[in-house]
Amino acid sequence: MYKLQKAIGLSVITGLLLSGCGQAGDPEIIMPDTPMQPSAAVNGGAAAEPVAAAEEPTEEPTDAGTQEAQPAAAAGGAHTVYLITMDLADSYWQSIDKGCKQAAEELGNITYKWIGPDTHDDALQSACVDQAVSEGAEAILIAANSAEGVNASLQKAADAGCKIIYVDSAASFDCVTALATDNEAAGKTAAESMKTALADRGITSGTIGVFGVTQDTASCVARETGFRAAFEGTDFELGDTVYMMDDAANIKNAVTAGQGQGYVAFFGTNEGTSVAAGEAVRESGRDDLVVGFDTSDAMRALIADGTAYATMQQNPERMGHDGMVIAVQALEGTYTDTNTKTDTGVTVITVDSM
């Protein structure tokens, strides 16, 4: 069984579709209905640890649709690795890119490029996969836009000999490994954080508002599942899920309605819902408890000023870093597992930990 090693030096189509390899959006994490299992756990080994961080490269984007790191110093066979995310604008994807760059520098002799569509769209992301293959990618790290929508292009990539590694969100196509958050476990962690905060306020019962992105956003559904499970057997009630549906006003209106009904807390399952809930509470001037997900500047500001109690910080930098290392190991034949899952965990961020 392969274990990530700590060591110094390791750690289009044309027209409209090609023009889509540019920027926008908010990440949605989509995993297969049947989660892949961590190979370390299956084989009785230790969980993989991230390689020691290296200084971040300082390359600037080469154009609106790609961000490229130059090949590092020679340290073995050269490899070309691409990162393809749902867009290029969100800070979450930028953190994955940062981790990839770190690992590329540590490994040496890696040609690395980050590309993505302008908006969350299967056809546009498929065009980016096709572009990577046409430009000689040997491995593709991808945050899949949906479970099925990019599979045809991934099949072409695999047929061309590309290794497929999922970072943050997996399609249903076979892969080397998927590095992502165990969202149900993360939802339980969020619930335990909320329970602690409610107890500190002397609140032992009441209704909690729950916010999702869409009914089909599997990652957020899994977080909600874990969250609700953690409150089973308590005196708290969880309201029906309100979905943002790309409109933050849906969440803000739900917060206002919940306040009118005496809700004791609100839970957001992603950055967009969490920020919308926090901003609604801030605007109301009330001291309602908010627990959410992700650590955008807006969410961190809500934590810093006390509007939100806690947010679950994922580890996108580790996803990129370890994904790059595993990609190269797979290319060199030292990582031979397939369809494994690596849980990169969450960290609870409160004002005390900032």
Side-chain angles (χ1 to χ4, degrees), residues 103-121:
E105 286 291 296
E106 293 164 358
L107 290 162
N109 209 22
I110 302 297
T111 297
Y112 165 68
K113 184 182 284 187
W114 173 28
I115 63 175
D118 292 317
T119 188
H120 294 195
D121 181 272

Side-chain angles (χ1 to χ4, degrees), residues 46-135:
E49 297 182 359
V51 180
E55 183 178 355
E56 182 188 3
T58 58
E59 302 86 356
E60 295 298 326
T62 57
D63 57 55
T66 65
Q67 296 197 23
E68 184 171 6
Q70 297 301 315
H79 297 293
T80 300
V81 182
Y82 273 57
L83 169 66
I84 301 173
T85 52
M86 297 179 194
D87 62 67
L88 296 177
D90 196 280
S91 61
Y92 187 86
W93 308 131
Q94 292 164 13
S95 293
I96 293 180
D97 171 57
K98 180 179 178 181
C100 287
K101 287 177 178 176
Q102 267 184 221
E105 286 291 296
E106 293 164 358
L107 290 162
N109 209 22
I110 302 297
T111 297
Y112 165 68
K113 184 182 284 187
W114 173 28
I115 63 175
D118 292 317
T119 188
H120 294 195
D121 181 272
D122 288 341
L124 296 179
Q125 192 177 54
S126 292
C128 292
V129 175
D130 295 341
Q131 175 187 334
V133 174
S134 71
E135 294 178 358

Side-chain angles (χ1 to χ4, degrees), residues 88-224:
L88 296 177
D90 196 280
S91 61
Y92 187 86
W93 308 131
Q94 292 164 13
S95 293
I96 293 180
D97 171 57
K98 180 179 178 181
C100 287
K101 287 177 178 176
Q102 267 184 221
E105 286 291 296
E106 293 164 358
L107 290 162
N109 209 22
I110 302 297
T111 297
Y112 165 68
K113 184 182 284 187
W114 173 28
I115 63 175
D118 292 317
T119 188
H120 294 195
D121 181 272
D122 288 341
L124 296 179
Q125 192 177 54
S126 292
C128 292
V129 175
D130 295 341
Q131 175 187 334
V133 174
S134 71
E135 294 178 358
E138 298 171 75
I140 294 174
L141 280 64
I142 182 168
N145 189 64
S146 71
E148 304 288 341
V150 297
N151 282 2
S153 286
L154 291 176
Q155 179 68 67
K156 294 176 186 176
D159 290 344
C162 282
K163 301 293 186 182
I164 308 299
I165 293 90
Y166 295 118
V167 286
D168 181 82
S169 64
S172 55
F173 188 79
D174 285 346
C175 66
V176 175
T177 193
L179 299 100
T181 302
D182 182 333
N183 287 297
E184 189 168 337
K188 290 180 180 179
T189 299
E192 295 303 327
S193 297
M194 182 175 282
K195 285 181 183 178
T196 297
L198 288 167
D200 289 345
R201 295 184 178 196
I203 300 172
T204 58
S205 64
T207 303
I208 297 167
V210 179
F211 306 129
V213 179
T214 71
Q215 290 180 312
D216 298 321
T217 305
S219 59
C220 295
V221 172
R223 293 169 191 173
E224 179 187 337

